[in-house]
Amino acid sequence: MNAATVDSDSGRSPLLVVENLGRRLQQGWIWQNIQLRLDAGDRLAIMGPSGVGKSLLLRAIAGLDPIQAGHIHFLGKSLSDWSMPRYRSQVLYLHQRPALWEGSVEANLQQVFQLHHHRRRGYQRQRILQYLRLLNRDETFLDRPSSMLSGGERQITAFLRGLQLDPMILLLDEPTASLDPESTASLETLVQNWQADNPQRAYLWVSHDAEQRQRMTQRAFQLRGDR
């Protein structure tokens, strides 16, 4: 499988550079020779048919899966030169079925700061309440037990948990697939506000919704296969 190379404005310093990336499973190469560059402020759609490996590409960029070929650089440093907890808080992968800890929504948000890498930071409740207002939800959402959340509510909780770490890049793997239209619109607004707060931020967005890609992305990277 091959991928189209994304053209970019060479006048901007890249946040992320992917060079000759390849992923192999038992049946052979899923994709090879991936060339991708993400600049500050980019809003990039990842496109391709089901089964072509879009989620695997995001997972590889996030440092969650092994890389059999190629290199990834973030802010000019090789992936191997980054502390993985630090890198993953800055290049944040949000997948379709997020895992949550037991307890309330707010306990899940607070638990992040018990992890060693984030202990010097503190939970900011007012910031979360501001995000919730953009999602048309009030503070009672924070009291909801994680075991009672719908798929969409779990997605929202995971999204809030990640945003409070101030990532530079979001890797969004169909983040609104389990949301109703109103919640989808609210989450899109939250992403737009997150990027507007710091124009250096960028994201990759996997979506099968052509109208959403039109709203939320400015260019596309096409994974192509000939299986």
Side-chain angles (χ1 to χ4, degrees), residues 118-215:
H118 305 302
R119 283 181 179 174
R120 294 187 178 182
R121 307 181 61 177
Y123 172 63
Q124 299 179 47
R125 195 171 200 268
Q126 289 304 312
R127 181 182 185 186
I128 295 299
L129 292 177
Q130 180 181 359
Y131 287 154
L132 287 176
R133 284 193 289 272
L134 290 172
L135 293 166
N136 295 316
R137 296 173 185 271
D138 60 32
E139 62 184 304
T140 61
F141 181 73
L142 298 176
D143 298 325
R144 296 283 306 279
S146 62
S147 59
M148 301 295 291
L149 298 178
S150 67
E153 290 170 334
R154 294 176 69 85
Q155 188 72 284
I156 286 171
T157 301
F159 198 75
L160 294 174
R161 187 172 63 185
L163 284 192
Q164 62 184 348
L165 298 178
D166 295 318
M168 286 299 295
I169 295 174
L170 293 181
L171 307 175
L172 301 163
D173 193 353
E174 298 191 68
T176 62
S178 56
L179 301 184
D180 59 39
E182 182 179 355
S183 296
T184 293
S186 297
L187 191 139
E188 289 177 359
T189 298
L190 184 55
V191 173
Q192 290 167 336
N193 276 268
W194 164 82
Q195 191 173 48
D197 284 343
N198 182 348
Q200 298 297 306
R201 293 169 173 167
Y203 58 80
L204 304 177
W205 194 309
V206 172
S207 174
H208 292 286
D209 184 336
E211 292 183 359
Q212 184 175 68
R213 293 197 302 268
Q214 182 73 20
R215 291 191 301 269

Side-chain angles (χ1 to χ4, degrees), residues 77-94:
K77 292 171 56 178
S78 172
L79 188 61
S80 61
D81 293 332
W82 282 92
S83 155
M84 275 295 102
R86 172 64 175 164
Y87 176 81
R88 289 172 184 158
S89 70
Q90 290 296 291
V91 182
L92 186 70
Y93 176 63
L94 294 166

